[in-house]
Amino acid sequence: MSHHFKQLIKLTGVIVVFVYFYYALQFTMNQSTSYSSAASSEHSIGTGARSSNNTLLRAAIVALVRNLELGSIRATIRQVDDRFNREFGYPYILLNDEDFTDEFKDKVQAITKAKIYFGKLPESHWGLSPYVTEEKVKAALERSKDRYLYGGSYSYRLMCRYQSGFIYKHPLLANLDYYWRIEPGVDYYCSLSYDPFRFMRDKNLIYGFTIAPLEIAPTVETLWDTTRRWMLENPELLPKKSFIRWVVNEKSEYTLCHFWSNFEIVDLSFYRSAAYESYFQYLDRNGGFFYERWGDAPVHSIAASILLRKGQVHWFEDIGYHHPGYAHCPNKPEMHRNCICDKGNGFMYTGACSRRLGMIRNIDKSQALKLARLPDLV
């Protein structure tokens, strides 16, 4: 064998070894990167880097749920995973006013590969408002028990107050920028191929919804009057423009339109803002969460209407959704092909509040304050 041929064989061997180790190193680095990303999402909430397109945002899927709702929250999580989260892997945060049982935690964790955080509500967040009296609350419950749904329920009022002014203050949500609220016993009909949190961020959106019905009037008899008084006492907290005309007409009458907050995707800086906190505290001091039955849905919706512009609110038309009472199914072919619902079941395409939202425009702060003053001039 010639000297040159031997040298060629040695050189070929070196090249083969080099190529082998190069690709082995690349594989190891890729595996390490993937593991690091997964570990980040599993061991701390909201650590996704906001600058990268390949990582999670600081966001989570959140529910207030009781131990007895184990079956229904497992069904919801399975649907959310099937429709969206199996691909993205955002964590779930489940909150309860009591300790979750081991059975609850084990069976919920078994339904998903996503990380689940279980939290108990701080005692200071759950209970009777310090601005109401137990005697008057009992009288209000007795007076309302046959007037409307949950009219006599104390626990329902606790829930509405908590969802209105405390859920985003829970320590498990402290590092989040966004949350997606889910509930037991709901249905998600459509597959999502995109990240709605990233969509909200990239479009500079603050509040996302899917259904907007009318509120039950007797539950919110003084809510708008209390709201307009807050506006007049705190004009410096109002923005230059808002879409307040969605919740009140030209006569300053409350339209009862609201976003159904059992589904909402929200930039939490909104709820953490000085304006929203001031508004919630004002409502709480006036006692309507207990003396009436102010829900978190109308509270969130009025706050959005008076503190945001219309362009900061988004209807997730492509998210088919059902909560007992109403359902939304997309009827556009490009959306419905990803869904398993009946296109005829489209409440939002005929609802009065969705039509009104399409018609109204932002108005200036001076016009909003004029609407707030109008009842005093009649």
Side-chain angles (χ1 to χ4, degrees), residues 297-308:
V299 169
H300 288 179
S301 303
I302 292 178
S305 299
I306 64 177
L307 298 176
L308 301 177

Side-chain angles (χ1 to χ4, degrees), residues 204-255:
N204 294 315
L205 299 168
I206 303 297
Y207 191 93
F209 72 99
T210 188
I211 292 179
L214 292 167
E215 182 56 295
I216 302 170
T219 67
V220 288
E221 288 176 328
T222 64
L223 178 56
W224 166 241
D225 193 56
T226 305
T227 297
R228 71 177 191 85
R229 285 189 277 111
W230 175 81
M231 292 174 62
L232 294 173
E233 293 176 25
N234 299 275
E236 73 284 357
L237 294 177
L238 299 178
K240 292 181 179 179
K241 290 184 180 293
S242 69
F243 70 108
I244 186 176
R245 286 292 305 278
W246 189 56
V247 293
V248 292
N249 62 21
E250 67 280 358
K251 298 179 181 179
S252 192
E253 297 168 334
Y254 183 27
T255 65

